[in-house]
Amino acid sequence: MAGTFDISLDSLAGRSVPAEDVSSECLSDSLQPIRKDRKAPKTAPCATGMRDGATFFLETFGCQMNDHDSEKVAGVLLSRGYRQVESPDAASLVLYNTCSIREKAAQKVFSRLGEYRTKQAAGQVIGVLGCVAQQEGEEIFARAPWVSLVCGSASYRKLPELLAQVEAGHQRVTGLNNDTDETFETPVTRRDNPWRAYLTIIEGCDKACAYCVVPFTRGPERSRASDSVLKEVRELADLGYSEVQLLGQTVNSYADPSSRRMRFSELLLAVADVPGMRRVRFTTSHPRDFGADIVAALESQPKLCNHVHLPVQSGSTKVLRGMVRTYTRDEYLEKIAMLRKAKRPIAITTDIIVGFPGETEADFAETLSLLEEVQYDALFSFKYSPRPNTPSLSMPDAISEEEKSRRLAVLQEKQRGIQSKRNASMINTMFEVLVSGKSRRENQWSGHTSCHRVINFTSQEQNLLGTYVQVLVTGAGPNSLAGEQVT
Ligand code: 5AD
Ligand code: SF4
């Protein structure tokens, strides 16, 4: 995809899958890319003193939840005296945070572990974290005996204890329970982005979509107490963050475990009220729990970004039933109608799976007609990938890889046309942009609008990074806008 087209959307899609598996919409994003090889950024050494030169290298695959888990894991390690390094060769501890949402992402793990082994320096400890760790468990030790630590995301809370065991020289340390009712909170999180902070408010998933491994790999839903969330938002504001993105596999299923019993929409408003916070985002919403109160909150509080990611997965009620998505096409469209009626325009994006078992040509045509009807601002599309333990694994009428690829291409082409038109209609409008990138080209900058479009723009000013500017749109491609700063 051309580098200029660049819409950046924060689905919780596991994005480390190979390019051919996913829609081009998510390939070239500046903030949330498919980073096949996300090496650690440079970080300051820890304040609490060095653990005798101990260093760690942490590589992350997958969704924003994984990105943010890695930020918290890095925080735990820094507070134990480790220093973060940018190459596995230089590290005493090599950690690999994995994704298993689609098969190809999961397959990568063992080839990567093979690479680590060949490079493995004497005494180096290798650990596997995340969804593949949870899914494969001790099998990882059998296939890669040079691994010493296997820890699923539901057990990160125990990470300090597990690390202590690793440091004491234990060979096969595991954290694999996912029956915890606690969330992973750390006193120190080492965040990668200086302006936008991720903040997980709900972990795990209690839905049971027939194709999805997440309920197995991330365990049951656990929400974080609203007071604790708000305290962290205040801390983030004090540190200079002006944008916060609330995360959860089903973020709007948030259920405050504290006596305040805040609803998700109330929490959104309370987060937006924290002095210093200018933008609040949230992802991913499940259509079933998406109520009128969330739309009312978006209408009443402009700090809540006007973008909702509402995965539909299919436009066919028959397929939705097979997927156990718990809504029909018409019920989903009612949620869309609610959003479209809002007092300010709200960008809507979605996830779609093509080639679910039994998906006929007519079912697929219904997905295409849904795209036409909704006019999404962007979409993430995936070929169905059979996953271990999931109910759809044993469903009849599998669709061939060739046909899945064909449908994916047709879907993406259709969406490209829709996006081209939608973005072109924005020429001559003004957007507030949080500036997050500076091009090597003179006077060229980039950032995001509240509706989460990427906009590349010109400005004669210096030092714009992290500031908010007004930009007039002068051009548009299917995946990004172009413009100039207006002073
Ligand atoms: N195959 C293909 N896509 C999947 N997703 C989740 N599980 C699968 C699977 N087995 C997609 C869904 C979800 C996104 C995060 O990943 O579209 O919304
Ligand atoms: Fe997976 Fe469905 Fe839960 Fe999303 S809502 S994480 S697709 S089981």
Side-chain angles (χ1 to χ4, degrees):
M1 186 163 74
T4 48
F5 302 147
D6 198 357
I7 196 151
S8 163
L9 296 157
D10 290 349
S11 148
L12 283 175
R15 303 266 172 67
S16 60
V17 292
E20 69 269 22
D21 243 0
V22 298
S23 97
S24 56
E25 274 69 36
C26 51
L27 286 180
S28 70
D29 166 62
S30 55
L31 284 181
Q32 308 302 323
I34 296 181
R35 281 169 291 169
K36 288 193 176 166
D37 194 9
R38 278 179 283 174
K39 302 280 160 55
K42 281 201 177 108
T43 47
C46 144
T48 57
M50 293 298 150
R51 179 172 291 267
D52 251 2
T55 50
F56 73 99
F57 170 78
L58 174 54
E59 187 173 15
T60 307
F61 279 73
C63 62
Q64 288 98 332
M65 298 280 289
N66 264 14
D67 281 340
H68 187 39
D69 284 344
S70 284
E71 291 180 334
K72 291 193 263 184
V73 169
V76 169
L77 287 162
L78 292 168
S79 68
R80 292 179 75 79
Y82 285 78
R83 186 169 54 84
Q84 191 162 11
V85 292
E86 286 177 80
S87 130
D89 306 332
S92 45
L93 173 63
V94 174
L95 293 175
Y96 186 31
N97 192 359
T98 59
C99 169
S100 67
I101 198 135
R102 280 167 293 274
E103 194 185 354
K104 283 187 179 158
Q107 275 169 356
K108 272 212 187 92
V109 173
F110 290 99
S111 65
R112 184 57 111 240
L113 288 176
E115 288 169 33
Y116 285 160
R117 184 197 196 179
T118 51
K119 290 184 194 159
Q120 192 179 9
Q124 197 174 44
V125 172
I126 296 184
V128 181
L129 309 177
C131 295
V132 178
Q134 190 65 51
Q135 192 180 292
E136 301 290 325
E138 307 216 358
E139 178 65 22
I140 293 179
F141 295 131
R143 288 183 64 182
W146 55 96
V147 169
S148 310
L149 170 70
V150 173
C151 180
S153 68
S155 301
Y156 287 162
R157 209 174 33 86
K158 287 204 224 126
L159 206 58
E161 286 163 48
L162 301 177
L163 284 168
Q165 290 176 34
V166 169
E167 284 156 6
H170 291 269
Q171 283 305 310
R172 293 187 164 191
V173 178
T174 54
L176 293 169
N177 285 345
N178 69 3
D179 55 2
T180 172
D181 56 3
E182 290 178 54
T183 53
F184 177 39
E185 296 185 37
T186 60
V188 199
T189 298
R190 199 271 301 112
R191 288 188 159 84
D192 293 343
N193 182 310
W195 307 292
R196 172 196 289 179
Y198 290 138
L199 203 162
T200 303
I201 63 165
I202 172 170
E203 288 175 11
C205 182
D206 281 351
K207 312 290 184 287
C209 301
Y211 51 81
C212 187
V213 281
V214 168
F216 306 97
T217 56
R218 287 191 166 266
E221 275 173 16
R222 289 101 60 203
S223 292
R224 208 172 143 183
S226 52
D227 279 347
S228 156
V229 171
L230 290 168
K231 179 169 167 281
E232 189 164 352
V233 176
R234 284 191 292 273
E235 286 165 6
L236 289 168
D238 288 344
L239 288 168
Y241 288 94
S242 61
E243 182 173 316
V244 65
Q245 178 159 18
L246 306 182
L247 296 180
Q249 302 290 343
T250 53
V251 73
N252 58 326
S253 308
Y254 176 80
D256 185 0
S258 74
S259 57
R260 287 178 82 175
R261 296 270 174 259
M262 264 195 177
R263 300 178 75 181
F264 174 65
S265 53
E266 292 167 334
L267 182 66
L268 284 179
L269 292 169
V271 170
D273 268 346
V274 170
M277 275 302 155
R278 187 144 162 179
R279 283 184 173 179
V280 181
R281 302 186 183 280
F282 55 97
T283 200
T284 289
S285 296
H286 192 286
R288 195 193 71 188
D289 296 333
F290 200 88
D293 59 321
I294 303 175
V295 183
L298 293 174
E299 282 180 326
S300 70
Q301 173 52 277
K303 287 187 191 175
L304 298 179
C305 289
N306 58 341
H307 167 219
V308 170
H309 185 65
L310 202 62
V312 64
Q313 312 299 357
S314 168
S316 150
T317 295
K318 186 199 95 190
V319 173
L320 289 172
R321 205 173 295 128
M323 289 177 163
V324 197
R325 283 294 288 179
T326 72
Y327 51 83
T328 62
R329 173 190 173 105
D330 287 346
E331 284 162 353
Y332 179 86
L333 285 172
E334 283 167 22
K335 310 281 175 175
I336 297 293
M338 213 162 69
L339 282 161
R340 291 284 182 232
K341 270 192 237 135
K343 291 191 194 101
R344 60 185 180 129
I346 296 173
I348 306 174
T349 58
T350 203
D351 292 347
I352 287 190
I353 297 176
V354 296
F356 185 75
E359 183 189 69
T360 61
E361 194 52 48
D363 293 320
F364 178 58
E366 288 201 64
T367 298
L368 295 177
S369 80
L370 184 91
L371 257 52
E372 194 57 46
E373 197 162 340
V374 177
Q375 297 282 306
Y376 289 107
D377 291 271
L379 86 93
F380 295 97
S381 48
F382 309 96
K383 292 193 272 183
Y384 167 70
S385 166
R387 305 307 299 124
N389 305 318
T390 58
S392 61
L393 199 58
S394 54
M395 284 183 181
D397 300 324
I399 311 298
S400 70
E401 274 309 299
E402 201 185 354
E403 180 58 14
K404 283 192 244 179
S405 301
R406 189 191 70 80
R407 291 183 190 174
L408 190 71
V410 171
L411 185 87
Q412 290 176 0
E413 192 49 38
K414 173 143 196 87
Q415 179 61 19
R416 193 176 166 84
I418 292 172
Q419 280 176 215
S420 296
K421 273 199 219 133
R422 282 188 82 75
N423 285 352
S425 74
M426 287 173 184
I427 291 177
N428 285 330
T429 50
M430 194 89 92
F431 284 104
E432 183 194 75
V433 174
L434 168 56
V435 186
S436 54
K438 180 173 179 5
S439 163
R440 255 168 285 165
R441 272 181 293 152
E442 189 78 359
N443 303 329
Q444 278 286 337
W445 304 81
S446 64
H448 288 82
T449 64
S450 167
C451 63
H452 219 206
R453 281 184 163 75
V454 168
I455 182 156
N456 301 302
F457 65 97
T458 53
S459 167
Q460 306 308 316
E461 287 184 33
Q462 305 295 311
N463 306 325
L464 287 184
L465 288 178
T467 65
Y468 290 81
V469 298
Q470 294 295 321
V471 175
L472 179 71
V473 178
T474 54
N479 295 292
S480 71
L481 303 173
E484 53 197 41
Q485 189 194 350
V486 176
T487 39

